[in-house]
Amino acid sequence: MGSEKGKVTTPGSAVSEKVRTRLEELDDLEEGSQKELLNLTQQDYINRIEELNQSLKDAWSSDQKVKALKIVIQCSKLLSDTTVIQFYPSKFVLITDILDTFGKLVYERILSMCVDSRVSLPDNFTPESVNDTAKETCLNWFFKIASIRELIPRFYVEAAILKCNKFLSKTGISECLPRLTSMIRGIGDPLVAVCARAYLCRVGMEVAPHLKESLNKNFFDFLLTFKQIHGDTVQNQLVVQCVEIPLYLTLYSPAIDWILQCIAYRAPEGLLTEMMERCKKLGNNALLLNSVMSAFRAEFIAARSMDFIAMIKECDESGFPKHLLFRSLGLNLALADPPESDHLQILNEAWKVITKLKNPQDYINCAEVWVEYTCRHFTKREVNTVLADVIKHMTPDRAFEEAYPQLQSIIQKVITYFHDFSILFSMEKFLPFLDMFQKECVRVEVCKCIMEAFIKHQQESTKDPVILNALLHVCKTMHDSVNALTLEDEKRTLAALINGFIKMVSFGRDFEQQLSFYVEARSMFCNLEPVLVQLIHSVNQLAMETRKVMKGNHSRKTAAFVRACVAFCFITIPSLGNIFACLNLYLHSGQVALANQCLSQADAFFKAAVSLVPEVPKMINIDGKMRPSETFLLEFLCNFFSTLLIVPDHPEQGVLFLVRGLLNVIQDYTWEENCDDKIRIYTNVLHLLSAMTQETYIYHVDKVDSNDTLYGGDSKFLAEINKVCETVITQILDHLKTLGKDETLKRQSQLALYFFNTILAHGDLRNNKLNQLSVNLWNLAQKHGFADTKTMVKTLEYIKKRSKQPEMSHFAELALRLPLQSRT
């Protein structure tokens, strides 16, 4: 086009003038756009690249296609700059992200031009189905890019839109890939060139994964130019930037790894052999060998473990240390098994190198990987030796403080492979290894891992002293980490793990040893309330197991032991902060004491529960939310009444001592004004008192004489019950009177029917007073039209049905006295 300059203008030369103007537009980037990226901090540089990415999208959406291309060229030019060589791989990732965006925008733009008014192109379309307009636009893009004068931006921008060749011809991509591969030979800097190869491989794999020949050619080209790394130009550049060769070589790893992963994807095993031969020809270059081990399938690498070890031994260690190669080999051996005959030799060869490492960080990075190989293929003896070696290397100068993640990983691997905790804790160096975790938060995390593994894998309960001592130490560490700032969720997690351990401890028939363990656990875990609750339940269970073994007939020794269990519970419950936990445990422990004929101890539990009721707060915290407590109190008291039926009166305390005490507490408790729970409780008390008047109670505790046996239906006892009944009924009726206001009539109706049903179920309706009371309650329930008609009808049907049973004829008369009032 330049040859036309200076000639007489013709229509053809006018077109060429236009083309030249376009070229100059593309080359003439915005003033200072590249210079302004110099002297920026790394974060500012990243932010600027992000801005350019956004500018590209904005320019495209506003139909400024030339500006979008200029931005992409501008960004691609930055990839020729290696003035801060350590930042180059990061810059490469950021800028290729912009190139990907550009490639996607161009492809979607051309694809949208192919969409007919009726149908869009299928995914596997052919160039024949693409219309001329789309093809012309596509060619136009390629011509624009071909006219970029600098090699690096021309290469990258064409690679970015490589997929667009699909619109032009079936063989377009397969023809472009070799050409682009050859173009990279023109890039002088080996780091810039290898990144360009990596980008081409990535794009190639995306658009034409079947064209492996071009990928292989790319890699072999790289091998041919690899010696450039040690040339004067590169060495002088490194001296100027004060970059050491080992650090410089690590900049190549991501790109080489990516190229090799593309080549190795679904590649046959023979390709690995070919790669190994090429590595040998290059003098077993460590950088390449490392990438080969990272790229190919672990099974292929593991099968050739001894060959790789031989190659690693012959590597030149300057620039890329051997321990990194052993680490890469170890990562493969963690995923696949080498030949069984080589197991020990591989470990010896690797550990020989690892144990000589002076730098603790290098050492632990390798040891962490090889611990898994040792655990997979060897016994506790070899694992113990490895742990001892780690302790030896990491203890001097407290080197372990910088390596907690790797040390945690080692513990995790050991407990993953050793599920028998008696073997694990019999390793001499396991607990000394734990002692290296001196930072509390890390130490607690490790302890949690151990406990989770124990709970998951321990199938049977244990009394092994080695396991118990070790796990008590682990649990104590977790418990002692709890302080005022510990979150509730964390406390719950720790408590659940400790409880899991407590449940797994069993001394069989040696109940005294079991109780001693619970006593020791209580002293060790006193700050975690759920653990104390679990211990109380466990001790109660122990008492019941003792009763089961003795078939309810305690000897002097077992009676004393059961009392010791009861005493444990009695002195532990008051230390709990949750008042409902205390109430329920007092009740539960009292029931256990009663079952074991410890009557005075049972009385003590029930008295403690009665005296605690007044302390129940109005609101309680449930899962972080404050809720009214009355529903829970009602539930507890109903359970309590069921137990009080069978509790015999204390000979020195008088008739119904516990029932009276509980009624006094209920009377004095400050109930919510708009709540009827107090009356519902009183109604339940009537159920209890009715059951107490029976000649024989409906249930008993074995070998415990309840009041039906003690009093034998004595008239004085029945008179006392009747007195209490009258008092309770008076309280209920007084409350019903207070509900006579308009806003509380519905509550009055519901309570009246509830009380009516209680009398129906538990009262003797041959008594004229009670009969009249039930009729009054029935009428009150319907008086203001709030009664549910269906319920009333069903209740009346039930009464009529009962009247047909023997000795229930008086129900027929009652049914006649109960009118059904209509809503009107």
Side-chain angles (χ1 to χ4, degrees):
M1 294 299 174
S3 63
E4 300 291 319
K5 203 169 184 181
K7 292 187 181 178
V8 179
T9 306
T10 63
S13 64
V15 173
S16 60
E17 191 69 36
K18 186 179 177 184
V19 170
R20 184 163 58 252
T21 309
R22 281 275 180 91
L23 294 179
E24 285 168 1
E25 264 186 12
L26 293 179
D27 277 348
D28 185 24
L29 299 175
E30 290 163 18
E31 187 65 35
S33 56
Q34 273 186 287
K35 289 179 184 174
E36 72 182 27
L37 284 169
L38 301 173
N39 304 320
L40 292 179
T41 65
Q42 188 168 325
Q43 188 55 52
D44 289 339
Y45 198 102
I46 292 167
N47 293 342
R48 179 71 185 110
I49 296 283
E50 286 297 324
E51 284 172 23
L52 285 170
N53 199 355
Q54 191 55 48
S55 300
L56 167 68
K57 292 174 186 172
D58 294 343
W60 192 271
S61 60
S62 59
D63 212 28
Q64 295 176 285
K65 304 294 185 291
V66 172
K67 184 182 177 185
L69 181 57
K70 283 163 73 176
I71 291 169
V72 174
I73 296 168
Q74 172 191 335
C75 291
S76 304
K77 279 190 175 185
L78 296 171
L79 288 174
S80 60
D81 172 36
T82 54
T83 47
V84 184
I85 208 157
Q86 286 160 270
F87 182 56
Y88 191 84
S90 303
K91 180 166 69 172
F92 169 76
V93 171
L94 291 167
I95 290 172
T96 51
D97 190 36
I98 294 176
L99 286 163
D100 290 342
T101 303
F102 175 71
K104 190 179 175 189
L105 290 170
V106 173
Y107 183 82
E108 287 174 354
R109 158 99 171 126
I110 298 168
L111 188 65
S112 69
M113 297 172 79
C114 302
V115 177
D116 193 32
S117 57
R118 295 180 301 281
V119 286
S120 58
L121 283 180
D123 289 339
N124 55 345
F125 67 87
T126 57
E128 289 77 29
S129 54
V130 177
N131 61 45
D132 290 344
T133 311
K135 281 184 178 175
E136 191 176 341
T137 305
C138 187
L139 272 170
N140 192 22
W141 275 109
F142 280 110
F143 290 153
K144 277 179 185 172
I145 290 162
S147 60
I148 299 170
R149 291 175 186 174
E150 288 186 34
L151 171 64
I152 288 177
R154 187 165 73 248
F155 162 79
Y156 272 108
V157 181
E158 185 173 352
I161 67 162
L162 183 67
K163 191 177 180 182
C164 294
N165 278 287
K166 285 172 66 177
F167 297 109
L168 300 176
S169 100
K170 286 182 181 177
T171 56
I173 292 172
S174 58
E175 288 166 4
C176 279
L177 272 174
R179 179 171 55 77
L180 289 170
T181 302
S182 301
M183 275 174 72
I184 298 172
R185 294 176 185 173
I187 299 174
D189 189 303
L191 180 60
V192 177
V194 79
C195 287
R197 293 185 194 285
Y199 184 65
L200 187 59
C201 281
R202 204 198 78 192
V203 173
M205 278 298 286
E206 191 180 324
V207 300
H210 55 285
L211 298 175
K212 280 288 183 73
E213 300 79 20
S214 292
L215 302 181
N216 294 355
K217 186 170 181 279
N218 225 323
F219 184 65
F220 297 143
D221 272 6
F222 164 69
L223 292 183
L224 289 171
T225 58
F226 191 71
K227 55 182 177 290
Q228 284 180 287
I229 289 175
H230 302 289
D232 291 344
T233 311
V234 173
Q235 296 299 324
N236 293 340
Q237 189 184 15
L238 297 183
V239 170
V240 170
Q241 294 196 35
C242 303
V243 175
E244 299 288 331
I245 269 283
L247 177 60
Y248 177 63
L249 287 177
T250 60
L251 303 179
Y252 283 79
S253 290
I256 299 172
D257 286 351
W258 180 257
I259 294 168
L260 276 168
Q261 278 170 12
C262 290
I263 292 170
Y265 180 68
R266 293 185 176 172
E269 204 167 346
L271 185 62
L272 174 59
T273 311
E274 187 184 342
M275 289 293 174
M276 289 170 75
E277 289 303 318
R278 286 185 177 268
C279 284
K280 284 177 186 172
K281 282 178 186 172
L282 281 168
N284 287 335
N285 183 277
L287 179 65
L288 288 177
L289 198 56
N290 192 58
S291 292
V292 167
M293 286 193 285
S294 301
F296 282 86
R297 282 174 59 188
E299 292 83 1
F300 296 170
I301 305 293
R304 295 168 171 72
S305 297
M306 291 309 298
D307 294 338
F308 275 105
I309 286 174
M311 290 171 74
I312 292 169
K313 280 182 173 177
E314 291 170 20
C315 273
D316 175 16
E317 202 161 4
S318 66
F320 203 92
K322 282 183 185 176
H323 68 82
L324 292 181
L325 296 173
F326 273 107
R327 187 176 189 279
S328 295
L329 180 61
L331 287 168
N332 280 292
L333 295 179
L335 299 170
D337 297 335
E340 198 169 335
S341 55
D342 295 339
H343 283 181
L344 187 57
Q345 193 180 352
I346 291 168
L347 181 63
N348 288 338
E349 291 289 351
W351 210 260
K352 212 184 290 177
V353 175
I354 295 167
T355 197
K356 286 178 185 169
L357 293 171
K358 296 282 184 285
N359 182 319
Q361 205 60 42
D362 290 344
Y363 170 83
I364 197 66
N365 284 338
C366 283
E368 175 207 349
V369 171
W370 280 88
V371 161
E372 184 159 5
Y373 175 77
T374 314
C375 292
R376 269 170 81 101
H377 302 295
F378 297 96
T379 63
K380 73 166 188 178
R381 181 172 155 269
E382 287 80 6
V383 175
N384 193 56
T385 307
V386 169
L387 293 182
D389 196 61
V390 174
I391 294 168
K392 179 182 157 191
H393 276 80
M394 301 309 292
T395 306
D397 302 324
R398 298 177 70 83
F400 55 78
E401 289 182 344
E402 302 299 320
Y404 283 138
Q406 293 92 332
L407 295 173
Q408 270 183 277
S409 174
I410 288 173
I411 284 284
Q412 190 72 56
K413 284 165 183 171
V414 172
I415 60 180
T416 300
Y417 286 95
F418 286 85
H419 294 163
D420 187 335
F421 278 75
S422 56
I423 292 175
L424 187 67
F425 290 125
S426 63
M427 278 185 213
E428 192 186 335
K429 295 296 177 183
F430 187 78
L431 289 177
F433 190 93
L434 282 185
D435 289 337
M436 285 199 291
F437 295 97
Q438 292 188 11
K439 187 178 179 183
E440 188 180 61
C441 60
V442 181
R443 192 181 179 87
V444 171
E445 281 305 312
V446 171
C447 290
K448 280 161 75 174
C449 280
I450 293 170
M451 288 312 304
E452 281 165 7
F454 176 78
I455 291 165
K456 183 178 178 183
H457 298 297
Q458 186 72 24
Q459 299 297 320
E460 297 172 357
S461 52
T462 181
K463 60 175 181 179
D464 186 325
V466 174
I467 294 179
L468 296 192
N469 288 333
L471 289 184
L472 277 172
H473 170 69
V474 168
C475 289
K476 183 84 170 89
T477 302
M478 293 195 300
H479 169 269
D480 291 351
S481 70
V482 173
N483 56 41
L485 299 176
T486 307
L487 296 172
E488 287 302 318
D489 276 357
E490 178 69 2
K491 285 183 187 176
R492 269 196 291 272
T493 303
L494 296 178
L497 292 171
I498 296 171
N499 283 345
F501 163 60
I502 289 169
K503 289 175 193 171
M504 291 303 294
V505 176
S506 171
F507 291 89
R509 295 291 284 269
D510 190 348
F511 291 167
E512 289 185 357
Q513 184 69 39
Q514 188 83 34
L515 182 59
S516 299
F517 169 76
Y518 292 144
V519 171
E520 185 184 358
R522 180 179 61 186
S523 66
M524 291 175 84
F525 308 129
C526 55
N527 287 340
L528 286 171
E529 198 163 294
V531 178
L532 294 177
V533 170
Q534 176 59 48
L535 287 169
I536 293 165
H537 283 307
S538 297
V539 170
N540 277 329
Q541 189 178 354
L542 191 60
M544 294 308 287
E545 280 177 19
T546 309
R547 178 181 183 274
K548 186 178 176 183
V549 168
M550 299 303 292
K551 296 179 181 169
N553 300 308
H554 283 298
S555 64
R556 183 181 292 180
K557 185 179 178 183
T558 59
F561 175 74
V562 166
R563 283 197 293 274
C565 290
V566 170
F568 175 99
C569 298
F570 193 73
I571 62 174
T572 309
I573 294 171
S575 62
L576 302 176
N578 183 326
I579 195 159
F580 279 102
C582 288
L583 286 170
N584 287 313
L585 285 168
Y586 273 135
L587 178 57
H588 184 61
S589 303
Q591 290 165 345
V592 170
L594 204 59
N596 283 285
Q597 298 123 52
C598 302
L599 300 183
S600 59
Q601 286 87 344
D603 264 358
F605 278 117
F606 297 139
K607 283 178 190 170
V610 170
S611 62
L612 195 58
V613 169
E615 294 176 28
V616 173
K618 291 285 167 286
M619 305 292 284
I620 53 170
N621 189 329
I622 296 173
D623 295 331
K625 292 181 180 177
M626 299 305 291
R627 299 187 186 280
S629 63
E630 291 192 357
T631 312
F632 298 95
L633 184 56
L634 178 61
E635 184 187 354
F636 166 74
L637 290 171
C638 289
N639 286 338
F640 199 5
F641 296 148
S642 303
T643 303
L644 287 180
L645 173 64
I646 49 171
V647 178
D649 280 341
H650 194 287
E652 296 171 12
Q653 302 284 3
V655 178
L656 303 181
F657 169 74
L658 283 171
V659 177
R660 289 174 189 275
L662 189 54
L663 282 171
N664 289 336
V665 165
I666 294 166
Q667 176 64 28
D668 295 340
Y669 188 79
T670 311
W671 299 88
E672 290 288 330
E673 284 184 15
N674 59 345
C675 179
D676 302 317
D677 284 337
K678 180 179 179 181
I679 302 309
R680 291 182 189 280
I681 290 168
Y682 277 146
T683 312
N684 280 302
V685 171
L686 291 177
H687 301 173
L688 167 64
L689 294 171
S690 170
M692 281 183 158
T693 60
Q694 308 304 311
E695 286 184 19
T696 305
Y697 291 169
I698 50 177
Y699 49 85
H700 291 88
V701 174
D702 192 29
K703 297 186 173 57
V704 172
D705 290 333
S706 297
N707 284 344
D708 56 342
T709 308
L710 293 182
Y711 294 110
D714 181 70
S715 57
K716 287 183 181 176
F717 175 64
L718 294 176
E720 285 293 329
I721 292 175
N722 283 332
K723 272 188 197 173
V724 177
C725 280
E726 284 174 13
T727 309
V728 171
I729 290 171
T730 305
Q731 290 279 345
I732 295 171
L733 294 175
D734 287 348
H735 184 78
L736 281 170
K737 283 177 190 171
T738 64
L739 298 177
K741 300 166 190 166
D742 287 349
E743 64 273 13
T744 54
L745 289 175
K746 187 173 183 180
R747 281 166 55 198
Q748 186 189 53
S749 169
Q750 289 170 341
L751 270 185
L753 186 60
Y754 184 63
F755 188 23
F756 171 84
N757 284 329
T758 293
I759 295 172
L760 196 64
H762 300 278
D764 182 0
L765 288 169
R766 285 169 294 200
N767 179 310
N768 289 334
K769 279 188 180 179
L770 214 51
N771 197 304
Q772 185 56 48
L773 175 60
S774 65
V775 173
N776 293 345
L777 288 168
W778 177 269
N779 292 331
L780 181 62
Q782 296 184 101
K783 186 175 181 182
H784 299 287
F786 286 106
D788 180 36
T789 310
K790 280 186 183 178
T791 306
M792 305 301 277
V793 169
K794 282 185 179 178
T795 307
L796 196 55
E797 283 173 2
Y798 167 77
I799 294 168
K800 288 173 182 175
K801 192 176 177 183
R802 285 287 304 274
S803 68
K804 293 171 185 174
Q805 294 174 357
E807 299 180 11
M808 288 291 175
S809 55
H810 59 284
F811 267 46
E813 187 189 337
L814 176 66
L816 295 172
R817 299 179 65 198
L818 301 178
L820 274 174
Q821 293 176 8
S822 67
R823 287 273 175 189
T824 52

